[in-house]
Amino acid sequence: MEKIFIKDLKKHDGNEVTLNGWVYNVRSIGKIWFLILRDGTEMLQCVVVKNDVDEETFKKEELLTQESSVTVTGIVRLEKRAVGGVELGVKSIEIHQIAEEYPITPKEHGTAFLMDNRHLWIRSKKQHAILKVRHQIVKASRDFFDNNDFVLFDAPMLTANAAEETTSLFNVDYYGRTAYLSQTGQLYGEAGAMAFNRVYVFGPTFRAEKSKTRRHLTEFWMLEPEIAYCDIEENMEWAEKLIVYIVEQCLENSKEELNFLERDISKLEKIKAPFPRLTYDEAAKLLKDNGVDFEYGSDFGGTDETVIAEQFDKPVIIHRWPADIKAFYMKRTPDNEELALGMDVLAPEGYGEIVGGGQREDDHDTLVKRILKHDLPMTPFKWYLDLRIYGSVPHSGFGLGIERTVAWICGIKHIRETIPFPRTITRLEP
Ligand code: 4AD
Ligand code: MG
């Protein structure tokens, strides 16, 4: 039998339907009582009238607690005054389980308590809205890549080598040798790009971050396109196009959620190409001009990023970074060995870096030197170096952090609410 969801009920005006869901609320006014039903797609007011149902059904009002699971059968009717413009005249109610007293109530709870109850908290409206926007962002991203000839290319989670800073590796005992949880799928994406031209890796990545901030998780999802025959300029265009498309799709399909989250939509409507592009040098000068005490050559901190991003109402791309603060695989600018062809995208409104990427070193011998210079063991990189022996080409790519993108688009402060079950330094449960 075809199952019907509350979100589609308007199409069924006048019909008898059966709905599966959970009790959100029960309220009685004597000979009539109302059951607010939640089915994961929407809420619905179900009306139980004493004269229209048998005694047993009418008495269920006394049994039903918040989050009890039920199947309700009744007649759909359009009702302007009801939320969603539709209500259900109940004929019968089947109870599956009577829920115990629900720990999350409309009163204010502290974040620690809510995080401990994350498995239940995700049922509440705000969390629901955020996670639906996340769904939309992932869907839009995949559509974007699929429509532009990118092949989905899955990278392993267990790896033998470091790919980013060695200080943030998670070690795993792998039959007596040490494996690492993947910090990025990029290196495998590069192999994919040489095989398919354009690929994207999409999966969880892991970093044993040492600091606790509102922008860092220890497990986060990254979307990583990798493109053959692509230089840093084209790479920046891809990042720009992807972000514009994601925002466009959210504005089109997630309006309800964004409104519920009280997101200032006008700010998102400004996210159109082209994004401003600054070199690292220009960004450093901008900080100086704004009175920030910034040491040239170092990475931008959270506050630095905010000051830079505040100058614009669109994401800003920063490119050509001091090579010393970037990963071993970055290609250098032709005229300056000190500058790496890296690019970061900073989101507006203080959300900071959402994209990191750049053009990759494609020369075998140079790459060997860099691996040595970074004190990395050569053996696990043998396969990676092969890519520079068998048909090496200029290539680029980037990683977009899903959780930071969700936080920015939803306008929420902390990224722990942007993933169903966040992992942080202090949290492994639920
Ligand atoms: O700048 P990152 O470290 O770049 C890379 O890993 C490249 N290998 C990606 C590539 O070129 N394919 O990380 C990319 C993005 C950041 O811009 C940020 O959005 C996100 O990943 N990110 C984190 N998100 C949440 N928690 C953390 N601890 C994160 N670390 C990075
Ligand atoms: Mg980065």
Side-chain angles (χ1 to χ4, degrees), residues 25 45 51 110 113 270 284-285 361 385 425:
N25 195 10
Q45 170 165 289
N51 293 337
F113 173 84
K270 293 193 179 123
K285 181 169 181 304
E361 182 52 67
L385 288 162
I425 297 181

Side-chain angles (χ1 to χ4, degrees), residues 147-175:
N147 294 338
N148 283 288
D149 301 308
F150 285 75
V151 174
L152 174 67
F153 190 76
D154 301 313
M157 297 296 103
L158 291 165
T159 62
N161 56 276
E164 299 296 330
E165 61 289 331
T166 48
T167 50
S168 71
L169 285 169
F170 277 116
N171 298 4
V172 179
D173 173 36
Y174 196 73
Y175 305 101

Side-chain angles (χ1 to χ4, degrees), residues 164 184 186 207 209 217 220 224 329 353-355 360 399:
E164 299 296 330
T184 167
Q186 177 198 320
R207 304 221 182 145
E209 301 286 358
L217 297 172
F220 58 99
E224 298 184 89
Y329 52 70
E353 180 195 332
I354 52 170
V355 162
R360 322 306 189 187

Side-chain angles (χ1 to χ4, degrees), residues 326 344 353 356:
K326 288 290 179 189
D344 281 10
E353 180 195 332

